[in-house]
Amino acid sequence: MNQIAPARLQSFPVEGMTCASCVRRVETAIAAVPGIESASVNLATERVDVRLAEPATAEAVIAAIKGAGYDVASQTIDLGIEGMTCASCVRRVEKAIDAVPGVVSAAVNLATERATVKLVAGTPFSSIETAIRQAGYEPRRLDALDTNAHQAAKDADYAKLRRDFLIAAVFTLPLFVMEMGAHLIPAVGHWLHGSGRFKLYVVYFLLASIVQFGPGLRFYQKGVPNLLKLTPDMNSLVVLGSTAAWGYSAVATFWPALLPAGTANVYYEASAVIVTLILLGRLLEARAKGRTSAAVAKLVGLQAKSARVARDGAILDVPLDQVVVGDIVQVRPGDRLPVDGIVVAGSSFVDEAMITGEPVPVAKAEGANVTGGTINKTGSFTYRATKVGADTLLAQIIRMVEQAQGAKLPIQALVDRITAWFVPAVMAVAALTFFVWLVCGPEPAFTFGLVNAVAVLIIACPCAMGLATPTSIMVGTGRAAELGVLFRKGEALQSLRDVAVVALDKTGTLTEGRPELTDFEVHGLAPDAALALIAAVESLSEHPIAAAIVSAAKAKGLAIPAVGGFEAVPGFGAHGLVAGRAVAVGADRYMVKLGLDVSSFAASAERLGEQGKTPLYAAIDSKLAAIIAVADPLKPATPPALAALHAMGLKVAMITGDNRRTAEAIAKTLGIDEVIAEVLPNGKVEAVARLKRRGRVAFVGDGINDAPALAAADVGIAIGTGTDIAIESAGVVLMSGDLRGVPTAIGLSQAVIRNIKENLFWAFAYNVLLIPVAAGVLYPVNGTLLSPMIGAGAMALSSVFVVSNALRLRSYRPKQVSP
């Protein structure tokens, strides 16, 4: 939650005020918020100036205004942050942004190097950028489509880091070999000291200084300013530890008389190895972090670089960002479609696997919708651009994935509280270590104290804690996108893990959402001939069942004759004259009204009734000729999807507006645990509320009428082929409409949270166990002390372990369960 500094003035735009009573109501509502010193509303400007002190927050003020029946215009922006290295940096940037007047909340993600800022409308973007720069970091405005510049910058940083590591390694290696060789091999020690210890130490000094202030300068550039601001970070710890080892050694080399007798030892190899190993750790970490964003890079790679557009009577190749709505775009075989649009001429087959996951190309002709990023296969066509730039489906998918990757889960709250004081606490422990050894340690106590204090500073690793959650989220949401599951809200990633009941809408979710002819039994006529006659009558009806019969006839390539004397009989059916033959189609009661006995189809009617289908009958020339059933067929993926949910130990419920008999029949076929039928949209919300008494509920739907239930559930899962309103109400979107995405999303959620817990356990256990060892708590027991060099290596590997563990999520595979 956004913390506002004491006695700070902040202005909020208030929408919906019309009179003096509104002013009083708003002021009263705000005054009730704890910590508010004053609130003054100006009706003319429609703003309220609020003076806030602890514990009041901007979010609390906005909630109070909305609770009074008014609204505050706000917006959410994303921006890149360059220069962050650890969890302390995250906390510092968040505090800097939070302090900007107009900011409601700020969430910074170390893995994605992004900040998501919610602010009051009208807040200058430049003020946020200034605050970030004053905190010691560089803001970067984001382009939803062009990530090439950022990637180029990341590649340049990686190349510089690699160069610095190689330089450090080249100068550290001889220093390390000479110093360790002198200790381990007496002959080497005699040879090295033969020309005098001072000359040898000067060589050590030169080698270590090159490492310390060459490749190691990056730590000073970040760490020293933060130390001076009393906001130390990971770089500050490295600066203190390595400088203490180097500085002490320099004094021992050039001014040994300043040190207590017997303590003039040098630790040049420790300072150089510390810098080198930490650079190695950051190099490995940067390489691993680069792989965590592979999913977004893959999505960005689906974009075309240019488009062939009709301009001034000619077809020109233009850059993608110059295509505008209304442009006529030409597509040739093998081209990747640049933007979304509608086909105006030509036809082809388009590979839409990136959206649907289906490998079979889809036929496209005049009037068909096409999506940017998909691939044209065989034919050529032109289409009119309807969505370009950030409005295309591909750009929206990229934006959704990036937003989910940058989200902070509730589990992160504890980590944020700990990292806020972690670095100062480590510095305090290091200082305490030095003084305890100085007072209580054996001789040379000063040396023991210095070495162990340096080990404490170097081995502490806030980086691992800062990366534990965001890297897992980043990799997990990226892998989900590859599997056709988009997490629109990061919180859904954590909530989905604890779901106990999955409730599903029927029409369009479990079923195809369009009636089809499923059963057709004929007596005394050829089936195709009978179907053509029946379809002719139904072609003049507007009923969805009639449309299904006509579609079935057309699918078979049957010619549908003209109809004469057509008449619809409300509540019964319809009849007409087709090719000289009297054809009547309707319910059993219509046949009875016509004086026909339907008992010859009794067995078929009973079977259809058990399946939840309502039979229709057809009479031709006053003779009962056929029994027909039209139903909304189940999607092929529905049975395996529900089997997978049951295999995960989840309860499955169906909420539908259909009649109970049909719903029960489908539930029996699929093994659904609970059926809630004959409900209106508001009834779906009530049904979800009842189910929530048994545990967390995920609701899966696709239509406008599902939006309230999607919002009411603990997690809303929208079918990507459904309406925009349903998608906006959901936390998770299944892009292909394949229900198997539901168990995939739940399984991935469980895997991500498990991975986060593994990372957090490692990060906390590492620091809790090794910092005391570095301080020397085991020395009185068994004489164990931890070298600062070993500490540097352990610290470097700690972050690499966390990122590498998160990368295991890239290989996640949903379990296949047979229905």
Side-chain angles (χ1 to χ4, degrees), residues 274-299:
I274 286 169
V275 171
T276 303
L277 286 180
I278 292 174
L279 286 173
L280 173 61
R282 290 200 176 176
L283 186 68
L284 295 174
E285 180 186 320
R287 184 176 179 181
K289 281 170 66 179
R291 292 166 61 197
T292 64
S293 58
V296 171
K298 190 180 294 184
L299 288 170

Side-chain angles (χ1 to χ4, degrees), residues 157-169:
D157 288 343
Y158 181 81
K160 186 177 179 182
L161 184 59
R162 184 171 180 272
R163 182 202 66 193
D164 286 352
F165 165 69
L166 291 175
I167 293 172

Side-chain angles (χ1 to χ4, degrees), residues 302-497:
L302 295 175
Q303 296 170 150
K305 301 296 184 290
S306 63
R308 290 174 56 80
V309 178
R311 297 274 171 88
D312 299 325
I315 300 296
L316 303 176
D317 271 311
V318 301
L320 188 62
D321 59 4
Q322 292 183 16
V323 181
V324 298
V325 172
D327 272 343
I328 300 300
V329 182
Q330 185 187 72
V331 183
R332 297 169 298 185
D335 282 354
R336 190 178 291 278
L337 276 63
V339 295
D340 299 357
I342 299 175
V343 177
V344 294
S347 63
S348 183
F349 286 85
V350 176
D351 182 353
E352 296 185 333
M354 70 162 231
I355 301 170
T356 64
E358 296 295 330
V360 180
V362 179
K364 298 292 181 181
E366 187 175 340
N369 290 311
V370 290
T371 304
T374 55
I375 301 173
N376 182 35
K377 287 296 187 181
T378 53
S380 179
F381 62 91
T382 56
Y383 71 98
R384 184 176 67 257
T386 56
K387 291 183 179 179
V388 300
D391 294 329
T392 64
L393 178 61
L394 180 57
Q396 291 175 27
I397 292 172
I398 293 171
R399 189 160 57 247
M400 273 194 261
V401 173
E402 288 179 335
Q403 287 173 348
Q405 289 184 336
K408 279 200 173 185
L409 304 191
I411 198 173
Q412 180 73 16
L414 174 63
V415 181
D416 288 344
R417 286 197 295 271
I418 292 175
T419 53
W421 55 260
F422 180 81
V423 172
V426 169
M427 293 173 64
V429 170
L432 181 63
T433 297
F434 177 77
F435 286 111
V436 168
W437 277 95
L438 190 63
V439 174
C440 306
E443 290 300 329
F446 186 89
T447 300
F448 274 119
L450 178 69
V451 171
N452 291 325
V454 169
V456 168
L457 290 170
I458 295 303
I459 204 166
C461 187
C463 303
M465 290 190 291
L467 291 169
T469 302
T471 49
S472 295
I473 295 171
M474 198 170 176
V475 180
T477 53
R479 179 57 182 152
E482 293 174 350
L483 294 171
V485 178
L486 296 181
F487 284 90
R488 290 190 65 252
K489 301 172 184 175
E491 312 86 70
L493 191 60
Q494 181 167 342
S495 302
L496 204 53
R497 178 198 61 150

Side-chain angles (χ1 to χ4, degrees), residues 1 74 136 167 195 197 229 286 351 376 387 644 687 696 741 816:
M1 186 171 287
S74 63
I167 293 172
S195 58
R197 179 170 294 188
K229 295 174 187 175
D351 182 353
N376 182 35
K387 291 183 179 179
R696 285 187 179 272
Q816 301 297 326

Side-chain angles (χ1 to χ4, degrees), residues 114 142-147 300 303 389-390 394-395 398-399 402:
R114 291 187 173 209
L142 299 175
D143 186 329
L145 285 175
D146 184 14
T147 61
V300 171
Q303 296 170 150
L394 180 57
I398 293 171
R399 189 160 57 247
E402 288 179 335

Side-chain angles (χ1 to χ4, degrees), residues 61-122:
V61 172
I62 291 174
I65 294 171
K66 290 185 176 180
Y70 305 92
D71 201 6
V72 176
S74 63
Q75 64 182 118
T76 300
I77 61 170
D78 292 316
L79 65 159
I81 310 289
E82 296 178 355
M84 297 189 299
T85 56
C86 68
S88 299
C89 301
V90 171
R91 181 65 179 162
R92 187 170 302 112
V93 174
E94 285 181 342
K95 289 181 70 175
I97 298 174
D98 277 343
V100 176
V103 169
V104 179
S105 64
V108 176
N109 188 297
L110 178 61
T112 60
E113 297 179 331
R114 291 187 173 209
T116 299
V117 185
K118 184 178 180 182
L119 42 84
V120 172

